[in-house]
Amino acid sequence: MRVVLPGKPQAKLQAFCTAQWEGQRLVAYASGNALIILGSPHDLIQTIYHDGSPAVDAVAVDESTGKIATCDSEEVHIYRPYGRKEGALRWSLQCTLRIPDEKRGFLTLSWGSDEELLVGSTSLRLFQTVDEEMMIWSRQLSKPAKFASFSPDAGLVASTGLYDRLIKLWRRQSFGADDTRFDFTYLLHPKTVTSVQWRKPHDREQSIDNVLYSICADHKVRIWASTVPHGLQVLQLWAEIDMQESIQPRQIQSTSQLKERYAFIIDSHDFIFATERAMQAASDGNPEENHALEHLIEIAKRNPEVCVVLDGRGNMSAWGLESIGCKTKKPANKFNIAHVENFSLSKLQVANADESNLQFLNFCNRELNSTFTLLVHHFDGRIEWLEGRVDELFDPSPRRNRLQTKAIWTGHDGSVKKIIRNRSGTALLSRTNDNEGLLWKQKSSRSGMTLSRYSSLSCADHIHRTCLLEEGDFVVNLHHHSISVWDMRASVATMAACSNFEVEGKLLCLLLLREPDLLSSSFYVSAITSRMKGIVWKIQLKSTDHWKAKSEKRSDTTIIQFCSFDLKVQEDLQFMLPVDPAGSPSITSSFLDTFAKTTAISYTNNGVLCAWAAVIEVEKSSVNWVVTSRVETGIQDPSLASGSSIRKTAVVDAARTGLTIWDASSGQLEYDVRYGVQDLVQDLDWSSTPDDQSILAVGFPHNVVILSQMRFDYINTGPAWTPIRQILIRESTPHPIGDSTWLGSGNLVIGSGNQLYIYDQNVSTSDEFIMDLSIPVHTHRSMTIFDLVTYLNGPLPVFHPQFLAQCMLAGKLVQVQKIIISLHKNLKFFSDGDELDSFVSLPIDSFFTEPQSLPNAAKKEMRSSYADFIEESEPETVTEDLAASLNGHLAKLALPHLSSQEQIHLADIIECVATAEKQRRSMDDNAMRYLLFFRQYMLRKGQAPASRVGITWREIVWAYHSNSQDILVHLVSKQFQGRMLWKHARESGMFMWMADLSALRAQFEVIARNEYTKTDEKNPIDCSLYYLALKKKNVLMGLWRMASWNREQSSTQKLLSNNFQEPRWKTAALKNAYALLGKRRFEYAAAFFLLAGNLHDAVNVCAHQLQDLQLAVAIARVYEGDDGLVLRSLLEDKILPQAALEGNRWLATWTFWMLGRRDMAVRVLISPVYTLLDTPETPNLQSRSYLANDPALIVLYKQLREKTLQTLQGASKISPRAEWEFVIQNARLYDLRNWEFLVQPRELPRKHSRKASVPDLRKMLRRRSSLVVDDLSSPESPKQQRGLRVPPQKVFEEPDTDSLLDNFGF
C-alpha cells in the first residue's frame, strides 16, 4: 500500500472540485501547473502536468461526461476520459482553448448541458465541446469574473466580479448553438460577495427549483429561490442566516476570532443518505439508544437542506432549510438542528491572512459502506479528507474526533529536487528548485505510516546542501558563501543563525561530524570543497527546555567557525558526499582507526573509492581525518555513487546504465548489473534492517528497483544481491522522479514533480520478483521488507543445504552426518505447521568443538556379541536406507526456513552423503569432497538440464590433490553406465585432475571408442580427433575400412595411408585442416592438424573455435605428456591470463601446480591472481567479485602450505598480515558458521635477511605434520615434480622431543 502527498493545492476558490460520474467519485484540484485527479483518500488516479504553462487557476468536472476542464491565465485545457471499461481510467487532452484577452484576469469554469463549457474572465464565453470546440456566445463584463457558475438545469448563470456587491443572474432564453441568448438581473448584497453555490439535485435527471446560496462579507448566508413564479426577478431572497448570531461561544474570544466564521451547505439528498448510513452503522454496532441519531432521523423525514456554520474555535451550528422554492406545497421553514462544540479543524500558523481561509465540499456516496465525507480546503496549502457518521457530527453531547481524518493532501507547488532525511529516519526535508522546503515527520495512522507536514522554509539564497539536526527541529543550509541554521519548530521556519565564509574550490558536501553527547552539547558540521579543503562549524542550538537553557546560560542559536583543514589529497576527486545512515546508531568515539564509523565517501576519475572517518578534538580545536578503506574499482568517470555507514557502496558508470555494489571493508565486488539504455540510473539510496542487512533503492526516471543483500552462495555461484520489488509511478504521473529516500521504518519516500509517494514496508509475496526467489512465503500474503531481507541474508538453520555444503568443504563430514541423523529423528513425528528447531535438537556447543570420530576398527571391536542386543534407534552414519527414509519425509513435508527448491537440494545432499559414506573407507577427504559435489551436480542436472555446463574448478582441484583418483575414475565412469563420451568427461573434469598419464591415455581411448559407437552408423569422423591425439592412426584407418556408407571413405583412406612424416603429406593434411576450418568443422580440422603433427594449431582450434579449454588441455597431455611445450604454452599464455581476468584462484592454483610452480600455487590462494603474473593482465570486474574469495580456499591453503618445500617456500613469501587478513576475511565470509577459522595463524618469520635469497625452511618445519616432500632440488618438470603420488626418496620425519640436534635428514 502507498500513501500519496499529491501536491500543494492552489489557494484559489475554483482550484478544487468534486463530482460523481457513473458511480465513480472524482476529486480534482490544481497544484502549481499540475492537475491532480483522485478517487479516494489514497487513490491517485492520474496527474497531468502543463509543462511550460503558468499555474492552474480553476478546475471543473462535468458530471454527465466525466470531462475535466482546467485553465490558467492564458489557456483552457479540456480532457476526455477513457479506459474506464478496461479498469484503467485515464484522461487525455481533447482540445486547448486560447483566451484572447488583453488584460489577464481570473478565469472561472463551469460545465452546462450538452458538454457546454462556460469560461469567465474579463468576459463570459460559452463553448460547445462535443466534437470540435466552438464559441457560441460571448459577453463583455465590467469587472473580471470571480465566480461564474451554471445552475443544475443550465438555465441560469450566476456571476460576480472581484470585490463586487452584485450577483449578476443570467437567464438563458434559447438553447440553440446558432442562436444563444441571455438576459440578466441583479441580486443585491450589502457587502462584497465571497461565495456563490447552487443547490444540487439528487441526479442530473431530477427536476428541482433552482436555489442559490451566497455568502457575503457581512457574515450572512442568503438563500435565493423562485418564490414568485411570475415575478420580475428570477430569484428572490428566501431566507438568511446570520453566522455571527448562530454561534455564541462560551469562552471570551478576540476580535479576529469573533469575526472568523465559515459555512457550507449539505444538500438534502446527501443528508438523507448520510442519515441512512448512520442508522445502518448503529444497527450493526452498539444497540444502545442513540438520541442524536433519533433526532436526525426525525429531521431527515422533513427533507431539509442543511447549512452548517463554524468558527475557528471548534463551535458549530447546523440549520435546517425546509421547503425551499415555489414547487413545494409545504410552508417554508428555517430551524436549528444542533449546536455542538469540539469540532476542531487542524490549522497551521500562516504567514498572511489569505492563507487562513477555508473552503468546504461534502458528499455522501450511494454505496452501502459509504459515510459522510467532508473535504476541507485550507488555503495554507492543504486539503483534508474527513469521514464519519453524521449523528456523531451533530451530537450535542461532548465528543472528541467527530470526524476521522483519512488523508491530508499537501506537498509542493513546484518540482521536488532533493529529499534529505535525518539520521534516525523519522524526519525529512523535501526541497524544490525555488529553494523552498517542507519539513515532514513520520506519523502512524489507521491507514498506515504517513508523513505529516510540520514546517515550511523559504530561503532567498540558493541552497547548495542541507542537513537536519535534533530530529528535524533545526535545519542547516549551506549556501555559496554562507551557512545558515533554521528553526523548524513552528509551521513557518525562521532563520536562527548565519555565518559567512570563504573557502577555495567548489563546495562538494555538507557533513554532520558529531552530535551532542556526554562530552559535548554542540553539533559539528563540515563543508568540503573540490580542492579537499574544508571548514568545521560549531553549532549551539536553542534549547526547547527552558530550565536547561537557563542552566546552560544560553537561549539563542549560534554558529561559529570551529576550524579549517586541508586533507592534502593529490588525486583528482570527482565528488565527495556523506554516507546514508544505515544500521545501528553510531557511537561517538575518540579513537580514529579503520574501524571508525564512516562519515563520507570520495571517488576519483580513475575509479579509486575511499571511505573517510573524522574525529573532533574539542580541546585542540581541530578535526582529524582517516581513510578507513580504499578500493580500486576500475570504473572510469563514474556518474553517481552512494555509500552507507555500514560500508556498502554503490557506483554507477559514466553511461548511467551499469551498477556495481562494493564491500568497502574487503574491497570485493558483490553485484554487477547492466540496465537498458532507456533506464538511466539517477539515484541511489541505502537502508538496512535492524540487524544491519543492507537494502538499496536504485532510482530511474519513472521507476525504482529495490535490491536486497543475499547470502554469499559459493556453491551455486549465486548472486549476492537480488531485486525484490519494483515501484512504477508512470501510471500515476508522467513527471520523472526527482529524488527518493528511506524512512527508518522501512518506508520509501519518492518525490516526483509536486508529489511525494510513501510506500509502506510490506512486500507482496505474489510479486514476480518474490516468486522468482522461490522462498517459503506461501503462508503469508505479504511480509515486511525487513523480514524478507532477514530471510534472504539472515541466520541459517543447520539443516540448510548451503550450510551443509560449507561443512563438507571444511572437512566436517562427521558433523554433517550428525545433523542429517538428528533431522531424520525430528521428522519422524513432524507435521506441516509444526515448529522445527534450527539446531535439530543438537547441543549448540557441538558446533564449536571438533567431532570425535572413532576409527572403523575401534567401532568394529565395540560391536561385540553383547552390543548386538542393544537396539539402536538411529544408525551411527548416514546409510542409504536412512537417506531414502529421510528423503521420503522431505517429499511429503514442507520444512520451515526452506523453499521448495532448497528442500530439493537438501534431499540431493542427503543422497550424496549416503553415497560418499558407502565409499568412505577407500577414499581420502579430497576425493570425498569431489564425489559429493559431482553427485550433487548430476542430480541437479537431471532436474534442470540447462542449469550448468559442468562442475567447477574447485571440485577439479579437490580431485587433482586426491590420492584416490583411480576410485574416482571408476565411480565417474559408473555414473555414466560405462558409456562415457567427451561431453561427460568435460562435465566431470576428469582429464584435468587425473595425474597418472598411463591411466589418462587409457581413459582417453575409452572416450574414443565410445565416441565411435555412440551412433548406430558408427562414424569414424566422431573419434578421429581422439585416436590421432593418441597417435593411433592405424586404428582409425581400420575404422574407416568399415565405413563403406560414408562418401568420404575412399579419399580419407587414401590420405591416411601416406607417411605424414614427409613434408608433402604434412602440407596436404594442413590444407585439409584449413579447408575444414572454412567449413566450420572445427573438431575435424583439429584432427587434421594432429595428423600433420601440428599440436599447437590443434590446441588453438579447441581453445578458441570450439571454446573447449578442457579438450585443449586433454589433447596436449595425451599427445605429448605433461612436459610438453605446447601444454606449457597453453597454461602460461591462455589459462593463466584467463584466471587473472576472471579472478579464478582455483583455476590459477591448478595451473601453477601443473607448471611445477607449487610455491606460486600456494601464494595465489591468498594473493590476487593478476599480481603474481610477469605480464599482468588488466583484471575485469569479475576478478574482484566476492566469488574470487571462496572460503574453501583456506582449507586448500591449509593442506598445501605444508606439503612440500616449494609450498613452504611460497607460504614464506606471504606476509603474516596478509595471511591474517586472509583468515579473517574467510571467517567473515563464513558468517559465524565455522568458528574454527577464527584462530590466529602461526607466526611466520617477519623479516628475512637481504643476503639470504631463500628462508631457512627447516625452522618452518618444526612441530608440523610428519611428512613433507623435498622438491626444491628437483628439475622444473611437471612430470617429475608430481611427487605427491610417488613415494619420495627423502622425507622429513618428526624429530624426537629429546633430540638436541635439529637434523631433518638433508
Side-chain angles (χ1 to χ4, degrees), residues 420-424 426-429 438-441 454-455 467-476 486-490 493 515 523 541:
I420 307 97
R421 56 166 275 184
N422 66 336
R423 287 199 169 181
S424 62
T426 57
L428 58 87
L429 181 81
L438 291 178
L439 179 68
W440 309 86
K441 291 196 174 182
Y454 197 75
S455 181
C467 73
L468 276 62
L469 310 177
E470 287 284 356
E471 299 299 322
D473 289 342
F474 292 86
V475 167
V476 181
W486 293 73
D487 190 340
M488 309 291 291
R489 289 175 292 182
E515 297 183 276
F523 289 87
L541 297 180

Side-chain angles (χ1 to χ4, degrees), residues 259-276:
K259 294 182 179 180
E260 188 178 8
R261 293 292 185 271
Y262 309 98
F264 63 90
I265 306 294
I266 303 177
D267 292 317
S268 60
H269 60 89
D270 285 330
F271 180 71
I272 294 173
F273 284 152
T275 305
E276 291 175 354

Side-chain angles (χ1 to χ4, degrees), residues 254-368:
S254 63
T255 304
S256 60
Q257 290 175 339
L258 285 173
K259 294 182 179 180
E260 188 178 8
R261 293 292 185 271
Y262 309 98
F264 63 90
I265 306 294
I266 303 177
D267 292 317
S268 60
H269 60 89
D270 285 330
F271 180 71
I272 294 173
F273 284 152
T275 305
E276 291 175 354
R277 302 297 177 265
M279 293 173 54
Q280 180 183 358
S283 62
D284 295 339
N286 192 353
E288 296 181 0
E289 292 185 2
N290 189 336
H291 297 291
L293 179 58
E294 293 173 357
H295 175 60
L296 289 184
I297 293 173
E298 293 299 323
I299 293 175
K301 292 178 181 179
R302 302 164 67 176
N303 196 22
E305 320 291 330
V306 179
C307 177
V308 182
V309 182
L310 306 95
D311 66 0
R313 299 294 298 270
N315 300 302
M316 182 176 67
S317 177
W319 296 84
L321 308 174
E322 185 181 6
S323 303
I324 305 177
C326 63
K327 291 185 179 180
T328 58
K329 304 303 180 182
K330 299 179 181 178
N333 186 17
K334 179 185 72 174
F335 58 94
N336 181 259
I337 296 177
H339 288 281
V340 300
E341 298 178 353
N342 300 325
F343 181 65
S344 300
L345 298 172
S346 60
K347 301 190 69 176
L348 301 177
Q349 176 187 351
V350 294
N352 54 67
D354 293 338
E355 294 183 355
S356 63
N357 190 24
L358 299 177
Q359 184 182 9
F360 298 88
L361 296 176
N362 63 88
F363 57 86
C364 185
N365 294 327
R366 301 182 183 181
E367 291 79 8
L368 294 178

Side-chain angles (χ1 to χ4, degrees), residues 1059-1072 1088 1091-1094:
N1059 183 9
F1060 287 92
Q1061 299 298 324
E1062 299 178 6
R1064 171 191 174 187
W1065 297 113
K1066 282 187 177 182
T1067 303
L1070 289 175
K1071 287 182 179 180
N1072 280 277
F1088 273 88
L1091 188 61
N1094 194 339

Side-chain angles (χ1 to χ4, degrees), residues 933-946:
F933 289 97
F934 174 71
R935 285 282 301 162
Q936 187 174 347
Y937 162 75
M938 293 304 299
L939 290 172
R940 294 189 184 182
K941 175 189 172 184
Q943 298 161 4

